[in-house]
Amino acid sequence: MPTIQGPELKKLQGIHYTPKNLCDFIASKILENCNFIPSKKEIKIFDPAVGDGALLLSLIKALNLKGQKKIEASGFDTDTLAIEIAKDRIKEHFDCDVDLRTGDFLEYLSENYSIKDELFRTAQESNQYDLVISNPPYVRVQNLGTSRSQRIASDFDLKGRVDLYYPFICGIAQILKPGGIAGIIVSNRFMTTKSGASVRKRILNDFHVLHVLDLGDTKFFEAAVLPAILIVRKKQINEKPIESKFTKIYSTEDALNTKESKNIIEALKMSGCVRVNGGQSYYVSHGKLYRESGQDEGFWRMEQAISNGFLSTIQKHKYCDFGDIGKIRVGVKTTADEVFIRNDWHTLFRNDKPELLRPLITHHIANRFRAVESHKFSILYTHEVRNNLRGSVKIENYPNSHKYLKQHRERLEGRKYVIEAGRNWFEIWVPQDPNAWKKNKVIFRDISEKPTFWMDLEGNIVNGDCYWFTNDKNVNDDLLWLAMSVANSTFIEFYYDQMFHNKLYSNKRRFMSQYVEKFPIPTPETNVAKQMIALSKEIYHRLKENNMTSLQEKLDSLVWKSFGLRREEVFREGYL
Ligand SMILES: C[S@@+](CC[C@H](N)C(=O)[O-])C[C@H]1O[C@@H](n2cnc3c(N)ncnc32)[C@H](O)[C@@H]1O
């Protein structure tokens, strides 16, 4: 590969030449999707940013192998020397017409094609191409100066932050024949950024997207951009929409059922965990393109429920489910809250406070890891366990409580179902197990955007607006700490969304018992799990101090690790 310019200048101009095996792969993908090759006619191929001609060379070779004899190869590059090298290379290896010009592709479009002028556009059809192959420059258009960037945005009808490959994509739509195929290397950012909205819309308007290949962190290029390949077909009149394939490959630490491949290109044709050349492993998945909110501007990502790979990795690292530690229960339900539950007991009573008052945990004090300090409400709790039997207290033994309740006897006896069930008039309708309150327990909110789970070590009672579980089987309490770490993590948000798909208004999730009991707990004996237990205890005890965010971040990352996954991978894939 010739050194045409210094590395800094190259970077500034978005010049990262495509490795040969990737060029060959894109050429093969284009032809795989093309039903008019071989043709007796001359096939016109085009690269709007030729560089040293590597992509055109691969496409010409692939066309020849398919029996296509007559080819005209055209293209542009702003770099004169690169154009000369490209011409020489093509002529040296192949017998075809070559029309490579030094020039700015975008300027050429503005002068010769107009997206705003339909008549002019039709007149240009004889100048259109059957196949386009391209790795356009990636540069923020803003870096090209204000007047140039404004002109590009206006010429190509693009809004917001524009990267140079956006107008190249729009330009390719202009020069490609209807039914023609293009293979374009782009940055994967346009799929999931707000600034990519206008180009996403244009792609869907002008092309059928045949295949998106997100090359993730495979490091094909020196640049920091994560590349993707777009294989598209220019729309023809009256064509039905088609399903778009989506492939992605990202590095993974997981070594489960790893297959071997010689290089990334070979790995792309496989699926699951693939180790490349005895070194780094990658996770390769194949699915369909999914457009969020079904709109033209919606983010693009791979459509799939939690992939089998993820699930089996989680399964492999799982010790048990939340439901195996203890039954998920709702809090108490009095059916007369105005009598039993109050936040003004201290003003109602001085010396004759009801003996049965107990602090009550309600959703008002919900907070991750540890409830906010003050218990606003207390409950007059009229239940106990006597001789191993659950039942109501002997109310006469608690004169202050008895006195208070008697004042509300009529209201309480109005609960016919209590009396008809043969229960005392002063009972709470659903008191839960009075002995269980003593135990350490994990409490959570039913409806919230982010999971909110916290620990109670003080034997408090939980109100019916929250759910809770304790260590029913008297196993090690550390499992509760482990469960709380998992529950407050981005891992569980991801797991929830993939497994249960139950989002409510304004992005709120419902943490129903049937979901929460299926949340996984990692094997507690591992070093990672031990660190998680220690960290969640530390967060609980130090929560009142400022700056607990870094500890929480650290714990979050450990949760992913404990299930053999990496948070960054999932974030990158746009799940979160
Ligand atoms: C990412 S490199 C790709 C080169 C080559 N196609 C390859 O894949 O190896 C981008 C190329 O675009 C050229 N370029 C930058 N701006 C251009 C423009 N406005 N018109 C045409 N070519 C341009 C650069 O000189 C560079 O050769």
Side-chain angles (χ1 to χ4, degrees):
M1 200 157 297
T3 311
I4 293 166
Q5 290 143 317
E8 279 312 305
L9 194 57
K10 274 187 165 187
K11 194 173 159 202
L12 203 65
Q13 297 184 344
I15 303 174
H16 297 280
Y17 280 6
T18 317
K20 182 169 180 311
N21 62 350
L22 187 57
C23 295
D24 288 344
F25 179 70
I26 299 170
S28 73
K29 280 276 151 202
I30 292 175
L31 295 193
E32 213 175 85
N33 285 283
C34 180
N35 59 9
F36 51 82
I37 303 291
S39 163
K40 291 209 169 66
K41 287 192 299 178
E42 186 175 60
I43 288 294
K44 294 173 73 171
I45 67 171
F46 185 81
D47 181 346
V50 181
D52 66 358
L55 283 164
L56 281 179
L57 280 164
S58 291
L59 187 54
I60 299 168
K61 190 172 111 198
L63 280 164
N64 279 181
L65 285 174
K66 279 231 169 192
Q68 180 62 41
K69 297 284 175 253
K70 288 193 223 159
I71 303 167
E72 183 203 84
S74 310
F76 279 91
D77 204 292
T78 41
D79 185 330
T80 315
L81 184 54
I83 284 287
E84 289 311 315
I85 292 169
K87 272 187 201 165
D88 289 349
R89 287 176 79 193
I90 297 175
K91 284 188 175 154
E92 188 188 333
H93 292 98
F94 300 101
D95 175 22
C96 67
D97 293 335
V98 181
D99 177 16
L100 300 185
R101 301 183 202 172
T102 305
D104 181 325
F105 174 59
L106 303 178
E107 291 291 328
Y108 165 77
L109 285 176
S110 305
E111 284 156 22
N112 295 280
Y113 294 74
S114 166
I115 55 164
K116 290 171 184 161
D117 183 347
E118 205 50 49
L119 273 178
F120 191 50
R121 197 173 173 178
T122 319
Q124 293 299 322
E125 266 177 19
S126 59
N127 263 341
Q128 287 181 316
Y129 298 87
D130 299 290
L131 305 174
V132 171
I133 190 161
S134 178
N135 178 8
Y138 325 120
V139 184
R140 282 262 177 82
V141 168
Q142 278 83 341
N143 296 351
L144 304 175
T146 323
S147 71
R148 175 99 207 273
S149 84
Q150 281 173 353
R151 187 148 162 238
I152 289 176
S154 138
D155 280 356
F156 295 94
D157 211 8
L158 293 163
K159 294 182 192 72
R161 275 188 183 178
V162 172
D163 200 296
L164 204 49
Y165 66 92
Y166 296 3
F168 268 78
I169 295 176
C170 301
I172 290 169
Q174 287 171 248
I175 51 119
L176 197 61
K177 278 185 190 164
I181 314 280
I184 317 165
I185 304 179
V186 290
S187 150
N188 71 3
R189 273 181 60 77
F190 85 92
M191 296 196 268
T192 52
T193 53
K194 278 194 185 151
S195 64
S198 55
V199 77
R200 288 195 293 275
K201 198 172 169 186
R202 287 293 303 281
I203 293 172
L204 296 171
N205 186 56
D206 294 345
F207 297 112
H208 286 299
V209 178
L210 304 171
H211 200 163
V212 179
L213 297 105
D214 182 352
L215 301 182
D217 54 356
T218 47
K219 302 198 182 70
F220 263 112
F221 299 94
E222 290 161 36
V225 274
L226 303 187
I229 303 168
L230 279 179
I231 306 290
V232 292
R233 185 173 68 224
K234 173 90 170 278
K235 278 189 179 168
Q236 289 167 298
I237 306 162
N238 293 335
E239 262 191 312
K240 286 197 193 119
I242 55 153
E243 229 167 51
S244 315
K245 288 194 230 164
F246 199 114
T247 296
K248 62 181 175 185
I249 177 165
Y250 277 91
S251 65
T252 178
E253 297 298 306
D254 196 16
L256 189 72
N257 302 327
T258 311
K259 299 157 204 136
E260 302 288 334
S261 84
K262 283 201 219 86
N263 54 47
I264 300 280
I265 298 295
E266 207 175 84
L268 269 172
K269 297 171 193 161
M270 301 157 93
S271 63
C273 211
V274 185
R275 194 165 56 206
V276 173
N277 205 12
Q280 176 68 51
S281 291
Y282 292 89
Y283 201 87
V284 187
S285 19
H286 303 278
K288 284 186 274 178
L289 168 67
Y290 175 76
R291 286 189 281 122
E292 272 170 18
S293 59
Q295 287 164 0
D296 285 354
E297 294 94 345
F299 285 176
W300 291 11
R301 65 173 170 83
M302 181 183 253
E303 178 192 84
Q304 69 182 165
I306 195 162
S307 79
N308 292 338
F310 270 129
L311 258 192
S312 59
T313 307
I314 294 168
Q315 211 59 31
K316 195 182 125 215
H317 292 81
K318 188 176 95 172
Y319 173 69
C320 65
D321 289 330
F322 281 25
D324 297 321
I325 315 183
K327 190 168 157 34
I328 313 275
R329 297 179 171 95
V330 68
V332 295
K333 290 197 190 290
T334 69
T335 60
D337 281 358
E338 64 284 16
V339 177
F340 291 104
I341 299 174
R342 306 181 72 121
N343 60 0
D344 59 353
W345 299 106
H346 57 288
T347 54
L348 279 185
F349 302 97
R350 292 244 157 104
N351 304 321
D352 52 351
K353 227 169 157 191
E355 307 82 348
L356 295 171
L357 284 186
R358 307 267 299 268
L360 183 72
I361 293 176
T362 65
H363 79 272
H364 300 99
I365 56 168
N367 193 35
R368 278 185 161 185
F369 296 97
R370 187 173 188 164
V372 287
E373 210 171 344
S374 61
H375 291 279
K376 291 194 176 71
F377 293 88
S378 294
I379 182 168
L380 203 158
Y381 189 70
T382 51
H383 297 259
E384 63 180 2
V385 174
R386 241 180 301 129
N387 305 325
N388 283 333
L389 285 177
R390 291 187 210 173
S392 59
V393 293
K394 285 194 171 162
I395 197 68
E396 312 74 55
N397 293 345
Y398 304 94
N400 294 346
S401 305
H402 196 188
K403 189 173 154 203
Y404 167 78
L405 288 168
K406 273 199 290 191
Q407 292 165 19
H408 300 279
R409 186 162 183 154
E410 201 179 328
R411 159 78 183 87
L412 296 176
E413 280 182 341
R415 301 176 303 160
K416 292 271 177 284
Y417 44 93
V418 177
I419 310 301
E420 280 162 14
R423 294 172 57 182
N424 290 308
W425 60 271
F426 55 84
E427 286 190 27
I428 284 169
W429 180 236
V430 182
Q432 300 293 9
D433 176 4
N435 263 356
W437 301 127
K438 286 189 262 181
K439 294 181 160 188
N440 297 340
K441 52 186 140 351
V442 176
I443 304 162
F444 60 97
R445 289 198 66 177
D446 174 14
I447 296 176
S448 56
E449 191 179 327
K450 298 271 169 205
T452 307
F453 286 67
W454 67 98
M455 185 70 83
D456 174 54
L457 304 180
E458 291 156 15
N460 293 322
I461 294 175
V462 180
N463 192 27
D465 56 358
C466 298
Y467 286 78
W468 60 288
F469 59 93
T470 182
N471 177 357
D472 285 349
K473 312 245 165 76
N474 290 324
V475 286
N476 191 334
D477 253 7
D478 279 351
L479 280 181
L480 289 178
W481 293 97
L482 211 45
M484 183 171 65
S485 318
V486 172
N488 283 328
S489 69
T490 51
F491 164 80
I492 218 67
E493 288 177 44
F494 163 76
Y495 187 80
Y496 176 101
D497 294 345
Q498 301 303 317
M499 298 292 282
F500 311 121
H501 308 279
N502 188 357
K503 279 214 180 156
L504 300 168
Y505 54 91
S506 60
N507 257 344
K508 290 207 158 69
R509 298 177 175 92
R510 282 213 66 185
F511 292 92
M512 299 161 89
S513 7
Q514 78 215 53
Y515 299 157
V516 175
E517 67 193 16
K518 292 271 174 300
F519 286 0
I521 295 179
T523 312
E525 287 82 24
T526 63
N527 275 341
V528 179
K530 284 180 188 154
Q531 284 179 58
M532 284 164 65
I533 295 164
L535 256 182
S536 63
K537 288 182 182 172
E538 186 177 350
I539 294 169
Y540 173 90
H541 288 293
R542 293 176 54 195
L543 201 68
K544 283 170 217 151
E545 293 172 29
N546 287 333
N547 226 353
M548 281 294 102
T549 351
S550 63
L551 284 191
Q552 294 192 23
E553 271 283 304
K554 193 170 161 196
L555 179 57
D556 193 65
S557 182
L558 286 174
V559 175
W560 288 93
K561 205 169 167 192
S562 71
F563 288 107
L565 299 168
R566 282 202 309 153
R567 182 176 54 179
E568 301 69 38
E569 234 169 90
V570 176
F571 269 105
R572 245 187 344 236
E573 291 176 23
Y575 280 115
L576 285 164

